[in-house]
Amino acid sequence: MSASTGPSRPDPPERGATSGSPESDPLRGSPEAGQGNGPAPSGEPLLSVRGLKVHFPVRRGVLLQRVAGHVRAVDGVDLDVARGMTYGLVGESGCGKSTLGKAVLRLVEPTAGTVLFNGADLGGQSPERMRRLRRHMQMVFQDPLASLDPRQSVESVLTEPLRAHGFTGDRSRRVRELLDLVGLPSGAAGRYPHEFSGGQRQRIGIARAIALNPELIIADEPVSALDVSIQAQIVNLLEDLQEQLGLTYVVVAHDLAVVRHVSDVIGVMYLGALVEEAPSDALYAQPLHPYTIALMSAIPIPDPEVEERRRRILLVGDLPSPVDVPPGCRFHTRCPFRRPTRCADEVPALRETRPGRKVACHWAEEIAAGAVRAAAGAHDPAATEVGTPSS
Amino acid sequence: MSLAQVETVAPEEAGGSLGRDAWRRLRRNPVAIAGAVLVVLFVAAALLAPWLAPYPPDKPVGQVTPTSIPGPSAEHWFGLDDLGRDEFTRVLWGARWSLVIGVVSLLLGMAGGLLLGLLAGAFGGWVDGVVMRLVDMMLSVPGLLFAIGVAAMLGSGLDAVMIAIAVVNMPVFARLLRGQMLAQRRSDYVLAATAVGVRRRRIVLGHILPNSLTPVIVQGTLTLATAIVDAAGLAFLGLSSNDPSIPEWGRMLADTQRYLSSAPLLAVFPGLAIIVAALGFTLLGESLREALDPKYRR
Ligand SMILES: Nc1ncnc2c1ncn2[C@@H]1O[C@H](COP(=O)(O)OP(=O)(O)O)[C@@H](O)[C@H]1O
Ligand code: SF4
Ligand SMILES: [Mg+2]
């Protein structure tokens, strides 16, 4: 999916608040714009995350609950998402993808770091300001049923955002419009979530997310709870909506196969941190981080000649707990390319090894050049495989 | 837009809200029917006692001596009690008292508990900490013992009994509502509502609270059963009203203790009545729980 120009938006909920076009940027110059970050220059990313951390305290004890440690769910993430683009965020389950998404919307409070949206800092905003700012960034959830109040009719689900932001127009017209946009019949309005199939529920969740004409949508594993046969339909719907409404996406997945075709840029996460970030095509052509290499080796390659030469790299050991993130390189306990001392001692920064490609590995260049070989243990049949192979 | 294929909406046979769904399952459950029949019997007896009862509940209607208390007969279905009053009449009127005591103490306890639970669940933080420590303390004392203590402290009487039972039930409801609300608060639909800008007050009152009430309704039904048993227990121990003319099942049990050998049925009838009432609410509550459980939902 790539940027679309001149989106033809349906009636925005608030008069004249069309977002997306530079002159009516919802944050810029508005009273919501936050503590003067200055007007955003036009090449600036829509979303810019710096050093974002979310640590959850682990409490022990019955009466006096001591903090016994922290779950480092998100542990220092930097990323930029350009307007109109799709950023694919991939990583094993539990690596902090959902928490990262929620922290961007401040649905969970970050422990550290900044989130700039349209150049405005979302940190330190009052709850009421944040409430109003969130209308420009929405979320689609992994479990569509859990994301819908079982007692709420579809009509109520879709009018709630309109009411909350003082939409004075014809609400039921807007509901029909939204249902039409996501491919549901207008008769769905009076029904309740449990009456729909999984795919339909996700369409309802998507309709709610676009109800306020947001600019950014964070889709947290939008299809992983759905039947494989339905997944493509929902992915297509998201692509169509992006084109029609000029949306910017962060699409989260635990599986490289899902985000491959929709993403412009892909970030690979491991234990709360980005280990590699690259344009989608480049990442698939040549993964640079050992973790990405291992993930990728689990995907069969359609080209039989390449498939012939494909070596499955299996990872040894279990995923470490996010409470005890390994020192040095966080991947070193499982890395087949690990080399003595430096990997375990020094944290590799996420650095640009070649234009547009960022890798957090000390030996990225050497591995890419074939100068460092995977350890024999990596091919141990007992070793665990990461990621879910695409089917 | 070009959606290749759109799944069609396939409504469930009856469709509609969760409530209707649960109602359908409830109607098909024989346990629920049995519970409902017992509850209807009990409530009908309570409401219609003045019209159904063949005799006045507080006046002797036949001759008795401590050694000869007439048993069941055509005129007196359950026989006479130790003071010559019609036992059937008194069991019917007893239902009325049980219902009043049960419902009033339930409502009081539920109101207090829900208020505490709502405070804890809505605010969290130190409010939650204080409320929950209080609740833990109250729950650490066995229920009936706690009720006896409270009733004795308040001095005996019907008010004391109702307040004592209410106080005992308060922490149960507080903990239940608070737990439910905290669980709901973390749910995705609450996050989704927050994301679309629904205000906190509306989220708590419009989403979290209604979705937390289902187990409260179930617990309320079950608590009615224990409240009736507890009320009888307190009356049996002499902690209820001193007025002998009030036909209270627990008190009737206590008063006939001395005649257990000559007129054992005098203990059986109020005992059975207590069991019928408590069993009715328990069966109904358990089947409600099952009917409302989302696990059983399609
Ligand atoms: N509210 C929370 N309190 C404590 N730990 C949490 C909380 N939310 C998530 N976590 C932990 O943070 C880690 C990352 O979770 P999550 O962001 O859901 O991962 P993902 O979406 O990648 O599967 C997990 O170990 C999870 O158990
Ligand atoms: S820094 Fe070392 S342990 Fe980490 S990924 Fe690179 S080679 Fe592996
Ligand atoms: Mg997740």
Side-chain angles (χ1 to χ4, degrees), chain A residues 119-135:
Chain A
D121 191 347
L122 298 186
Q125 301 281 359
S126 71
E128 176 57 19
R129 264 196 182 170
M130 199 54 231
R131 188 186 77 80
R132 277 188 267 137
L133 281 172
R134 275 197 206 98
R135 97 181 196 47

Side-chain angles (χ1 to χ4, degrees), chain B residues 224-238:
Chain B
L224 211 45
T226 60
I228 288 168
V229 174
D230 286 354
L234 290 177
F236 184 83
L237 294 170

Side-chain angles (χ1 to χ4, degrees), chain A residues 164-324:
Chain A
H165 291 277
F167 175 68
T168 48
D170 184 347
R171 287 198 204 105
S172 58
R173 206 182 118 231
R174 178 65 177 154
V175 168
R176 287 196 305 275
E177 207 171 78
L178 288 168
L179 289 174
D180 186 49
L181 273 170
V182 299
L184 287 173
S186 52
R191 300 193 175 279
Y192 288 81
H194 72 279
E195 299 177 55
F196 294 91
S197 70
Q200 291 165 343
R201 286 175 194 145
Q202 196 57 297
R203 287 175 195 269
I204 299 167
I206 292 170
R208 168 176 57 194
I210 61 173
L212 296 166
N213 271 320
E215 290 177 87
L216 174 70
I217 287 186
I218 297 184
D220 185 8
E221 307 207 28
V223 299
S224 56
L226 306 179
D227 286 350
V228 179
S229 57
I230 313 281
Q231 289 187 352
Q233 291 181 16
I234 298 297
V235 170
N236 287 343
L237 173 63
L238 287 172
E239 286 192 293
D240 286 348
L241 290 174
Q242 181 170 46
E243 206 164 294
Q244 285 184 65
L245 307 176
L247 296 166
T248 305
Y249 284 144
V250 174
V251 176
V252 173
H254 61 255
D255 179 347
L256 273 166
V258 171
V259 288
R260 162 159 205 184
H261 299 290
V262 296
S263 305
D264 300 296
V265 175
I266 290 179
V268 180
M269 243 179 126
Y270 183 77
L271 272 187
L274 278 180
V275 293
E276 176 160 12
E277 187 188 273
S280 179
D281 294 339
L283 188 80
Y284 279 87
Q286 191 185 17
L288 296 179
H289 193 280
Y291 180 62
T292 322
I293 295 171
L295 276 182
M296 207 79 91
S297 80
I299 305 177
I301 299 160
D303 185 340
E305 222 171 280
V306 186
E307 174 69 15
E308 188 84 344
R309 283 182 280 121
R310 183 168 78 100
R311 286 180 82 194
R312 302 282 294 256
I313 296 181
L314 301 177
L315 297 180
V316 250
D318 293 325
L319 185 67
S321 153
V323 180
D324 299 302

Side-chain angles (χ1 to χ4, degrees), chain B residues 7-298:
Chain B
E7 315 138 71
T8 49
V9 177
E12 231 172 84
E13 50 163 302
S17 66
L18 275 183
R20 238 184 294 167
D21 213 37
W23 175 235
R24 211 175 56 234
R25 274 195 307 269
L26 204 59
R27 265 189 342 218
R28 289 183 189 157
N29 183 356
V31 177
I33 308 279
V37 166
L38 294 183
V39 166
V40 166
L41 266 178
F42 169 69
V43 174
L47 294 180
L48 303 176
W51 295 277
L52 289 180
Y55 300 95
D58 51 353
K59 292 198 180 61
V61 292
Q63 285 298 315
V64 286
T65 63
T67 46
S68 78
I69 298 171
S73 63
E75 300 103 84
H76 303 292
W77 294 353
F78 290 2
L80 296 178
D81 76 356
D82 56 316
L83 295 176
R85 296 170 298 194
D86 181 57
E87 181 76 358
F88 178 61
T89 298
R90 288 182 61 77
V91 169
L92 280 183
W93 277 86
R96 206 175 171 80
W97 286 105
S98 279
L99 185 67
V100 169
I101 297 170
V103 168
V104 170
S105 58
L106 171 70
L107 290 181
L108 277 178
M110 210 149 117
L114 293 187
L115 194 69
L116 285 178
L118 186 62
L119 278 176
F123 291 102
W126 68 267
V127 181
D128 184 36
V130 170
V131 170
M132 290 329 285
R133 288 302 87 77
L134 187 75
V135 162
D136 287 344
M137 265 160 49
M138 291 168 84
L139 282 174
S140 64
V141 186
L144 192 56
L145 205 63
F146 190 16
I148 292 168
V150 175
M153 230 163 61
L154 293 170
S156 57
L158 280 182
D159 297 353
V161 167
M162 292 191 280
I163 292 172
I165 295 172
V167 168
V168 169
N169 286 321
M170 245 163 57
V172 177
F173 285 104
R175 186 150 81 171
L176 189 65
L177 187 67
R178 178 256 188 188
Q180 284 294 318
M181 287 184 71
L182 287 188
Q184 302 289 338
R185 214 162 67 156
R186 278 192 284 266
S187 66
D188 280 356
Y189 75 81
V190 167
L191 283 180
T194 311
V196 295
V198 182
R199 286 182 181 81
R200 197 179 145 80
R201 221 172 67 106
R202 191 178 137 66
I203 289 181
V204 170
L205 298 179
H207 290 286
I208 299 182
L209 191 59
N211 278 297
S212 308
L213 284 180
T214 305
V216 172
I217 295 167
V218 171
Q219 185 62 41
T221 314
L222 295 172
T223 300
L224 211 45
T226 60
I228 288 168
V229 174
D230 286 354
L234 290 177
F236 184 83
L237 294 170
L239 284 163
S240 191
S241 170
N242 296 321
D243 186 350
S245 68
I246 291 182
E248 211 285 304
W249 289 339
R251 195 188 164 83
M252 287 162 70
L253 273 178
D255 288 349
T256 53
Q257 260 186 114
R258 278 167 287 157
Y259 313 101
L260 218 49
S261 51
S262 55
L265 284 179
L266 284 186
V268 170
F269 290 122
L272 269 179
I274 294 167
I275 291 171
V276 164
L279 191 65
F281 286 111
T282 305
L283 294 180
L284 196 61
E286 290 295 349
S287 30
L288 258 180
R289 187 204 300 280
E290 217 169 275
L292 292 168
D293 192 327
K295 275 205 297 286
Y296 295 88
R297 208 194 306 152
R298 281 208 299 150

Side-chain angles (χ1 to χ4, degrees), chain A residues 92-99 102 142 220-221 224 252 254:
Chain A
E92 277 168 282
S93 160
C95 73
K97 307 178 298 290
S98 298
T99 307
K102 289 171 192 168
Q142 176 172 2
D220 185 8
E221 307 207 28
S224 56
V252 173
H254 61 255

